Amino acid sequence: MSTKLKKIFVVVTTYNEKENLPALVPQILDKDSRLKVIIVDDSSPDGTGKIADDLAKIFKDRIIVIHRKERGVGTALREGFKKALALGAEAVIQMDADFSHNPFYLTEIIKTLESGAKVVIGSRYSSGGGIASRSVARNIISKIANLYNHIILGLWDVSDTASGYKGYQREVLEKINLGSFVSTGYSVGVENLYRIAAKGFKITEIPILFSDRNAGNSKMGLKELVKYMITVLKIRAKS
Ligand SMILES: Nc1nc2c(ncn2[C@@H]2O[C@H](COP(=O)(O)OP(=O)(O)OP(=O)(O)O)[C@@H](O)[C@H]2O)c(=O)[nH]1
Ligand SMILES: [Mg+2]
C-alpha cells in the first residue's frame, strides 16, 4: 500500500550543537518542502537554543523550538514526538544534530514510509551501510551496545538497534505509550524499538553511511554508557 504523506516532522534533539545546527536545518528543509523541524534543546550552555529561535524566525512556519530546563536525550526526544503528534504529523523522523546522520537519506526514509513501511531505521550494519571516519574505540562501543541490546532484548531481526536515525508512521508513535518510558537518556532508541516490536509492527532497515560528528563534543561518556546498560536491563525486567 502506498500513501502520499503531507505532514512530516523531523525531531532533532540538541545539546551544545551551535556549530552544527545552523548548517543542518537548511539542509533538512531543502530536502523536501513537506518537512518541518522540531528542535528540542535542553538549555545548551553554548547558546544553541537562541540559534534555534533565530532559525525559526528565518524559516517561518517550518521550525518549532522546544526549550527545556531538564537534561536528557530520552525525555527530549519523547517530548519532540508528542509535539509532532499534537501538530498533526502523519510521519515523524528523528535524527541527530551533529551530521552523523546525513540529510541525504531523508528522501529514502520518506519514500520507504510512503511505500507502506511502519518504521524505518537508517542502519549502519545492514548490507550497503557503514561507518565513515569514526574512532576504533567509538565503533567498538557502538557494536557492543548493539550486541548487548540483542542479548538482553532480542530484536535479532534488527541489525542496528542503536541507530538514532529513524522514521515512524504516526500510528506507531501513538501505540507505544510515549508517557511511560523507562529511559531518560540514550537507551530511548532501543526502548522504542522494543515497544514497537512488541506491538507487532514490522521494522524496515535502509543502509546509511554514518559519519563522526562534524563539530562539537560528544555527550556519550562512560557514565552514559553504564546508565544505558542498566536501563536496558530495566526495560527487559519491566516487560
Ligand atoms: N535535548 C538534548 N539533546 C541531547 C542531549 N544529549 C545529547 N543530545 C543530542 O542528541 C543527539 C545525539 O547525541 P550525541 O552526543 O551526538 O551522541 P552520540 O551520537 O552517541 O555521540 P557522538 O556523536 O560521538 O557525540 C545530538 O544531536 C545531541 O546534541 C540532552 O541531554 N538533551
Ligand atoms: Mg552524535
Side-chain angles (χ1 to χ4, degrees):
M1 192 197 68
S2 76
T3 42
K4 184 86 181 153
L5 295 166
K6 289 194 267 316
K7 289 183 111 178
I8 312 165
F9 286 77
V10 179
V11 176
V12 180
T13 53
T14 57
Y15 194 80
N16 287 348
E17 301 288 1
K18 71 171 181 192
E19 294 98 340
N20 295 315
L21 194 67
L24 179 73
V25 165
Q27 288 193 28
I28 295 173
L29 296 178
D30 265 2
K31 271 276 146 229
D32 194 301
S33 61
R34 293 168 292 172
L35 290 173
K36 294 191 183 195
V37 179
I38 297 175
I39 300 163
V40 191
D41 184 72
D42 289 358
S43 307
S44 295
D46 75 348
T48 300
K50 162 83 172 68
I51 291 170
D53 287 337
D54 292 344
L55 288 164
K57 279 181 206 140
I58 297 167
F59 301 102
K60 280 195 184 44
D61 302 325
R62 294 193 70 192
I63 296 179
I64 297 99
V65 185
I66 300 174
H67 297 280
R68 304 187 336 138
K69 294 230 157 43
E70 67 178 290
R71 201 45 228 281
V73 68
T75 51
L77 187 70
R78 287 188 281 126
E79 210 162 315
F81 286 166
K82 284 186 203 161
K83 185 70 172 180
L85 294 179
L87 292 172
E90 293 169 315
V92 182
I93 298 169
Q94 64 167 101
M95 66 192 290
D96 291 354
D98 57 6
F99 282 101
S100 285
H101 301 149
N102 192 326
F104 169 83
Y105 298 109
L106 287 167
T107 309
E108 202 180 338
I109 291 175
I110 296 167
K111 235 171 61 191
T112 310
L113 289 169
E114 289 192 319
S115 66
K118 300 291 183 193
V119 180
V120 182
I121 300 179
S123 171
R124 296 165 283 192
Y125 307 131
S126 58
S127 171
I131 300 173
S133 67
R134 215 178 194 200
S135 76
V136 173
R138 197 65 185 76
N139 281 344
I140 290 172
I141 290 174
S142 173
K143 283 244 159 87
I144 290 173
N146 194 37
L147 179 64
Y148 185 77
N149 289 341
H150 278 137
I151 291 168
I152 306 297
L153 299 176
L155 298 171
W156 290 100
D157 293 340
V158 178
S159 65
D160 190 349
T161 60
S163 172
Y165 202 2
K166 293 188 282 238
Y168 314 84
Q169 300 281 358
R170 178 187 181 89
E171 63 167 303
V172 173
L173 295 183
E174 281 176 334
K175 288 205 176 113
I176 57 171
N177 196 357
L178 291 168
S180 75
F181 272 49
V182 177
S183 304
T184 57
Y186 286 92
S187 53
V188 67
V190 70
E191 185 167 8
N192 69 18
L193 283 186
Y194 191 60
R195 285 169 179 238
I196 287 164
K199 291 282 175 197
F201 289 113
K202 183 173 178 292
I203 296 167
T204 304
E205 290 182 270
I206 60 163
I208 62 160
L209 190 61
F210 178 101
S211 309
D212 202 358
R213 64 165 41 253
N214 191 40
N217 298 318
S218 179
K219 290 105 221 167
M220 181 62 171
L222 185 63
K223 200 173 133 212
E224 283 299 329
L225 187 65
V226 171
K227 183 177 158 190
Y228 183 104
M229 295 183 118
I230 293 169
T231 313
V232 170
L233 288 175
K234 286 185 186 162
I235 295 165
R236 180 73 186 87
K238 200 183 166 199
S239 63

PDB file of all heavy atoms in Angstrom, residues 155-167:
ATOM      1  N   LEU A 155      15.306  -8.748  19.600  1.00  0.00           N
ATOM      2  CA  LEU A 155      15.337  -7.860  18.420  1.00  0.00           C
ATOM      3  C   LEU A 155      16.358  -8.327  17.378  1.00  0.00           C
ATOM      4  O   LEU A 155      17.028  -7.522  16.734  1.00  0.00           O
ATOM      5  CB  LEU A 155      15.683  -6.410  18.835  1.00  0.00           C
ATOM      6  CG  LEU A 155      14.719  -5.686  19.776  1.00  0.00           C
ATOM      7  CD1 LEU A 155      15.322  -4.372  20.263  1.00  0.00           C
ATOM      8  CD2 LEU A 155      13.381  -5.415  19.101  1.00  0.00           C
ATOM      9  N   TRP A 156      16.494  -9.648  17.244  1.00  0.00           N
ATOM     10  CA  TRP A 156      17.529 -10.183  16.350  1.00  0.00           C
ATOM     11  C   TRP A 156      17.264  -9.868  14.888  1.00  0.00           C
ATOM     12  O   TRP A 156      18.167  -9.955  14.052  1.00  0.00           O
ATOM     13  CB  TRP A 156      17.689 -11.697  16.572  1.00  0.00           C
ATOM     14  CG  TRP A 156      18.302 -12.002  17.898  1.00  0.00           C
ATOM     15  CD1 TRP A 156      17.644 -12.400  19.028  1.00  0.00           C
ATOM     16  CD2 TRP A 156      19.682 -11.890  18.276  1.00  0.00           C
ATOM     17  NE1 TRP A 156      18.528 -12.547  20.081  1.00  0.00           N
ATOM     18  CE2 TRP A 156      19.787 -12.250  19.643  1.00  0.00           C
ATOM     19  CE3 TRP A 156      20.856 -11.538  17.597  1.00  0.00           C
ATOM     20  CZ2 TRP A 156      20.997 -12.256  20.341  1.00  0.00           C
ATOM     21  CZ3 TRP A 156      22.062 -11.545  18.294  1.00  0.00           C
ATOM     22  CH2 TRP A 156      22.128 -11.900  19.638  1.00  0.00           C
ATOM     23  N   ASP A 157      16.030  -9.527  14.559  1.00  0.00           N
ATOM     24  CA  ASP A 157      15.734  -9.175  13.162  1.00  0.00           C
ATOM     25  C   ASP A 157      16.260  -7.788  12.790  1.00  0.00           C
ATOM     26  O   ASP A 157      16.273  -7.415  11.615  1.00  0.00           O
ATOM     27  CB  ASP A 157      14.212  -9.151  12.910  1.00  0.00           C
ATOM     28  CG  ASP A 157      13.616 -10.536  13.022  1.00  0.00           C
ATOM     29  OD1 ASP A 157      14.392 -11.503  12.916  1.00  0.00           O
ATOM     30  OD2 ASP A 157      12.393 -10.636  13.214  1.00  0.00           O
ATOM     31  N   VAL A 158      16.639  -7.013  13.791  1.00  0.00           N
ATOM     32  CA  VAL A 158      17.107  -5.645  13.536  1.00  0.00           C
ATOM     33  C   VAL A 158      18.636  -5.642  13.608  1.00  0.00           C
ATOM     34  O   VAL A 158      19.213  -6.012  14.628  1.00  0.00           O
ATOM     35  CB  VAL A 158      16.538  -4.664  14.591  1.00  0.00           C
ATOM     36  CG1 VAL A 158      17.060  -3.259  14.368  1.00  0.00           C
ATOM     37  CG2 VAL A 158      15.008  -4.684  14.574  1.00  0.00           C
ATOM     38  N   SER A 159      19.298  -5.224  12.529  1.00  0.00           N
ATOM     39  CA  SER A 159      20.765  -5.286  12.562  1.00  0.00           C
ATOM     40  C   SER A 159      21.371  -4.105  13.314  1.00  0.00           C
ATOM     41  O   SER A 159      22.409  -4.231  13.932  1.00  0.00           O
ATOM     42  CB  SER A 159      21.328  -5.391  11.149  1.00  0.00           C
ATOM     43  OG  SER A 159      21.048  -4.220  10.422  1.00  0.00           O
ATOM     44  N   ASP A 160      20.725  -2.944  13.289  1.00  0.00           N
ATOM     45  CA  ASP A 160      21.260  -1.778  14.007  1.00  0.00           C
ATOM     46  C   ASP A 160      20.238  -1.283  15.031  1.00  0.00           C
ATOM     47  O   ASP A 160      19.384  -0.444  14.735  1.00  0.00           O
ATOM     48  CB  ASP A 160      21.608  -0.665  13.009  1.00  0.00           C
ATOM     49  CG  ASP A 160      22.392   0.467  13.659  1.00  0.00           C
ATOM     50  OD1 ASP A 160      22.481   0.501  14.898  1.00  0.00           O
ATOM     51  OD2 ASP A 160      22.931   1.314  12.916  1.00  0.00           O
ATOM     52  N   THR A 161      20.350  -1.812  16.250  1.00  0.00           N
ATOM     53  CA  THR A 161      19.355  -1.480  17.282  1.00  0.00           C
ATOM     54  C   THR A 161      19.666  -0.150  17.973  1.00  0.00           C
ATOM     55  O   THR A 161      18.867   0.340  18.760  1.00  0.00           O
ATOM     56  CB  THR A 161      19.316  -2.568  18.377  1.00  0.00           C
ATOM     57  OG1 THR A 161      20.625  -2.638  18.978  1.00  0.00           O
ATOM     58  CG2 THR A 161      18.935  -3.926  17.821  1.00  0.00           C
ATOM     59  N   ALA A 162      20.852   0.402  17.698  1.00  0.00           N
ATOM     60  CA  ALA A 162      21.247   1.617  18.417  1.00  0.00           C
ATOM     61  C   ALA A 162      21.253   2.847  17.510  1.00  0.00           C
ATOM     62  O   ALA A 162      21.755   3.897  17.893  1.00  0.00           O
ATOM     63  CB  ALA A 162      22.617   1.417  19.053  1.00  0.00           C
ATOM     64  N   SER A 163      20.684   2.712  16.325  1.00  0.00           N
ATOM     65  CA  SER A 163      20.660   3.864  15.422  1.00  0.00           C
ATOM     66  C   SER A 163      19.688   4.929  15.929  1.00  0.00           C
ATOM     67  O   SER A 163      18.589   4.628  16.391  1.00  0.00           O
ATOM     68  CB  SER A 163      20.214   3.414  14.020  1.00  0.00           C
ATOM     69  OG  SER A 163      20.009   4.559  13.211  1.00  0.00           O
ATOM     70  N   GLY A 164      20.100   6.172  15.794  1.00  0.00           N
ATOM     71  CA  GLY A 164      19.216   7.276  16.175  1.00  0.00           C
ATOM     72  C   GLY A 164      18.632   7.990  14.975  1.00  0.00           C
ATOM     73  O   GLY A 164      18.161   9.122  15.086  1.00  0.00           O
ATOM     74  N   TYR A 165      18.688   7.324  13.818  1.00  0.00           N
ATOM     75  CA  TYR A 165      18.132   7.895  12.587  1.00  0.00           C
ATOM     76  C   TYR A 165      16.971   7.002  12.166  1.00  0.00           C
ATOM     77  O   TYR A 165      17.173   5.906  11.646  1.00  0.00           O
ATOM     78  CB  TYR A 165      19.221   7.898  11.511  1.00  0.00           C
ATOM     79  CG  TYR A 165      19.034   8.886  10.356  1.00  0.00           C
ATOM     80  CD1 TYR A 165      17.966   9.754  10.291  1.00  0.00           C
ATOM     81  CD2 TYR A 165      19.980   8.947   9.334  1.00  0.00           C
ATOM     82  CE1 TYR A 165      17.833  10.659   9.241  1.00  0.00           C
ATOM     83  CE2 TYR A 165      19.863   9.850   8.279  1.00  0.00           C
ATOM     84  CZ  TYR A 165      18.787  10.699   8.244  1.00  0.00           C
ATOM     85  OH  TYR A 165      18.651  11.597   7.200  1.00  0.00           O
ATOM     86  N   LYS A 166      15.741   7.448  12.433  1.00  0.00           N
ATOM     87  CA  LYS A 166      14.596   6.562  12.228  1.00  0.00           C
ATOM     88  C   LYS A 166      13.364   7.350  11.802  1.00  0.00           C
ATOM     89  O   LYS A 166      13.212   8.513  12.163  1.00  0.00           O
ATOM     90  CB  LYS A 166      14.258   5.817  13.536  1.00  0.00           C
ATOM     91  CG  LYS A 166      15.322   4.833  13.967  1.00  0.00           C
ATOM     92  CD  LYS A 166      14.883   3.974  15.133  1.00  0.00           C
ATOM     93  CE  LYS A 166      14.957   4.650  16.435  1.00  0.00           C
ATOM     94  NZ  LYS A 166      15.794   4.000  17.442  1.00  0.00           N
ATOM     95  N   GLY A 167      12.505   6.675  11.076  1.00  0.00           N
ATOM     96  CA  GLY A 167      11.236   7.272  10.681  1.00  0.00           C
ATOM     97  C   GLY A 167      10.083   6.386  11.135  1.00  0.00           C
ATOM     98  O   GLY A 167      10.217   5.151  11.179  1.00  0.00           O
TER      99      GLY A 167
END
